[in-house]
Amino acid sequence: MKRKLISALLTVTMAASLLAGCGTSTETADSGAKPATAEQAPAAASEAAGSEAAAPAADAKPAGDIKVGVAMPTKDLQRWNQDGANMQSELEAAGYQVDLQYASNDTQTQISQIENMISSGCNVIVVAAIEASSLGEAMDMAAEQNIPVIAYDRLIMNTSAVSYYATFDNYKVGTVQGEYIKEQLDLDNTTEKYTMEITAGDPGDNNAGFFYNGAMDVLKPYIEEGKIEVKSGQTEFSDVATAQWATETAQSRMENILSSYYADGTNLDICLCSNDSTALGVENALAANYNGKYPIVTGQDCDIENVKNMIAGKQSMSVFKDTRTLASQVVKMVGQILNGETVDVNDEKTYDNGKGIVPSYLCDPVFADVNNYEKLLIDSGYYTADQLQ
Ligand code: BGC
């Protein structure tokens, strides 16, 4: 296989030159002083995506001469603005030049932006993909130029060009939502029956399935035993997915569900929503089309509008993913790659992008609700109290 051959050649080259590596396992990542041989590397890791992007592109350059490309999906959602701003300020504080781009959720725009980053000499590229499987050509171009790519928050699929992945533990985000519902309703002990509707994320985003599976792994047993009924019957991911995580799409789908299944006065007890933008759509639909007992509504991101809704009792919880933590971790990765140091990863089994396991750093998501948001969000300086008024 060509990829394996290139990989093997690179390993030899690295061993010979003692070049620092942006490899794919902790061993290959270890600053080139002791590069892993094919025999030493564990099978999964030697197959890992990114083997080819092994050599750091900016060996021995001063930080000021190094440019880092940061490709973000959209300015429409609050979180990506924060992610981009955090990345920019942290990278600049480390002395790097930064090329930060937003792509208006348009894949072609994101591809052009990444290609421009490559041709304008970026030494490392950080990408939060819009469409996980559509960046192939741009990724090939990065690999050809030996430019390490870090997948940011969302994994880039079906390419060997991704060296590392940094994200929050996406499956855990889902289990946190599921566990919250389970505890609020005391599902193990109650004899009550509850109704639920599910709103998941964008099928083009690899994270969306992890969120859905994490939550459903907690809740499915209760659906199966009849304690939770999904009246619409829409339980499969393909039924409940929301293209591009759009608030309006989630809203109109929930409006249809409410008028078809809950207009007769049936209470809707649980709205499992994978994130805040979809939760907002569901909350809008509830406000306009539902008069029953207000349901538990989950979310993710702690966006300002949603935290306000949490305070107003319209959303029960959100999962807090401190974008400062993720940005710091990625900036650290960038430095480690460029300096040929061992790159911090804490998961080398979960994220297979179709070409192999991508070594990952998973940050820890935590749950937020009306009881702890002040400590989590205001005391930590994430928001000011005024922003949540
Ligand atoms: C992110 C979530 C975000 C969603 C919509 C996901 O990939 O992990 O934090 O809410 O995209 O932008």
Side-chain angles (χ1 to χ4, degrees):
M1 226 170 112
K2 191 172 161 230
R3 196 172 70 78
K4 276 193 178 157
L5 181 65
I6 299 171
S7 204
L9 283 172
L10 263 171
T11 304
V12 172
T13 316
M14 286 166 73
S17 63
L18 293 188
L19 266 183
C22 156
T24 57
S25 68
T26 13
E27 289 106 307
T28 50
D30 197 356
S31 81
K34 46 182 176 70
T37 63
E39 294 77 47
Q40 286 165 332
S46 65
E47 271 302 301
S51 304
E52 289 93 322
D59 215 15
K61 276 191 186 171
D65 290 348
I66 289 168
K67 188 157 70 162
V68 181
V70 180
M72 286 284 151
T74 175
K75 284 193 164 179
D76 288 352
L77 279 202
Q78 185 197 316
R79 76 152 289 184
W80 302 114
N81 291 282
Q82 280 169 299
D83 286 281
N86 290 336
M87 284 293 294
Q88 177 153 31
S89 63
E90 291 224 17
L91 285 165
E92 284 174 355
Y96 304 121
Q97 299 168 45
V98 181
D99 181 2
L100 169 64
Q101 301 291 337
Y102 286 87
S104 308
N105 258 342
D106 181 64
T107 301
Q108 274 314 315
T109 306
Q110 186 164 61
I111 290 170
S112 314
Q113 289 173 339
I114 296 170
E115 288 175 352
N116 281 338
M117 287 171 185
I118 295 166
S119 51
S120 72
C122 283
N123 303 97
V124 177
I125 297 177
V126 177
V127 181
I130 295 166
E131 232 290 321
S133 299
S134 303
L135 297 179
E137 280 176 31
M139 292 297 103
D140 290 348
M141 207 170 146
E144 275 159 26
Q145 307 277 325
N146 235 359
I147 300 171
V149 173
I150 300 174
Y152 184 98
D153 194 86
R154 298 169 169 179
L155 187 54
I156 305 169
M157 303 299 286
N158 304 318
T159 171
S160 307
V162 182
S163 301
Y164 296 97
Y165 178 37
T167 189
F168 284 85
D169 184 336
N170 295 305
Y171 182 82
K172 187 172 174 191
V173 169
T175 58
V176 167
Q177 295 168 335
E179 290 290 343
Y180 179 85
I181 292 167
K182 177 178 152 182
E183 276 163 34
Q184 289 299 305
L185 300 175
D186 195 15
L187 289 175
D188 280 338
N189 301 309
T190 185
T191 52
E192 297 280 318
K193 288 192 188 308
Y194 295 102
T195 56
M196 174 167 90
E197 297 298 335
I198 305 160
T199 307
D202 184 352
D205 176 351
N206 188 56
N207 290 352
F210 280 88
F211 302 144
Y212 167 86
N213 286 330
M216 289 303 274
D217 284 352
V218 178
L219 298 173
K220 222 179 204 154
Y222 305 103
I223 299 177
E224 280 164 1
E225 74 176 78
K227 228 171 229 182
I228 294 179
E229 184 188 4
V230 180
K231 286 195 87 64
S232 68
Q234 298 173 19
T235 51
E236 295 303 312
F237 178 75
S238 54
D239 298 329
V240 300
T242 310
Q244 299 221 327
W245 299 93
T247 298
E248 302 71 27
T249 309
Q251 179 170 341
S252 59
R253 177 172 165 269
M254 189 50 64
E255 282 167 359
N256 286 337
I257 288 177
L258 288 172
S259 67
S260 304
Y261 303 97
Y262 299 90
D264 61 358
T266 305
N267 276 333
L268 171 56
D269 301 306
I270 309 159
C271 292
L272 170 66
C273 301
S274 282
N275 86 330
D276 279 355
S277 61
T278 54
L280 213 52
V282 166
E283 288 152 22
N284 292 342
L286 288 167
N289 301 278
Y290 176 74
N291 298 314
K293 184 166 171 281
Y294 201 82
I296 291 175
V297 182
T298 66
Q300 162 184 201
D301 291 336
C302 287
D303 283 349
I304 289 177
E305 282 314 303
N306 297 76
V307 179
K308 285 182 180 172
N309 275 359
M310 222 151 69
I311 297 166
K314 295 181 198 161
Q315 180 167 326
S316 316
M317 61 85 78
S318 189
V319 179
F320 180 45
K321 306 197 301 188
D322 192 329
T323 53
R324 297 169 299 189
T325 313
L326 183 57
S328 300
Q329 193 60 42
V330 174
V331 172
K332 192 167 153 195
M333 266 184 178
V334 168
Q336 288 168 334
I337 290 170
L338 291 167
N339 295 326
E341 295 162 3
T342 300
V343 174
D344 271 2
V345 293
N346 59 11
D347 182 293
E348 292 184 78
K349 63 177 187 340
T350 308
Y351 288 98
D352 187 329
N353 79 344
K355 294 285 184 183
I357 300 283
V358 181
S360 306
Y361 192 97
L362 309 185
C363 305
D364 207 27
V366 292
F367 111 94
D369 71 359
V370 74
N371 298 314
N372 70 358
Y373 82 92
E374 281 172 312
K375 185 162 177 289
L376 270 184
L377 303 175
I378 300 177
D379 298 354
S380 76
Y382 200 70
Y383 296 136
T384 63
D386 282 353
Q387 285 176 293
L388 301 178
Q389 294 293 305

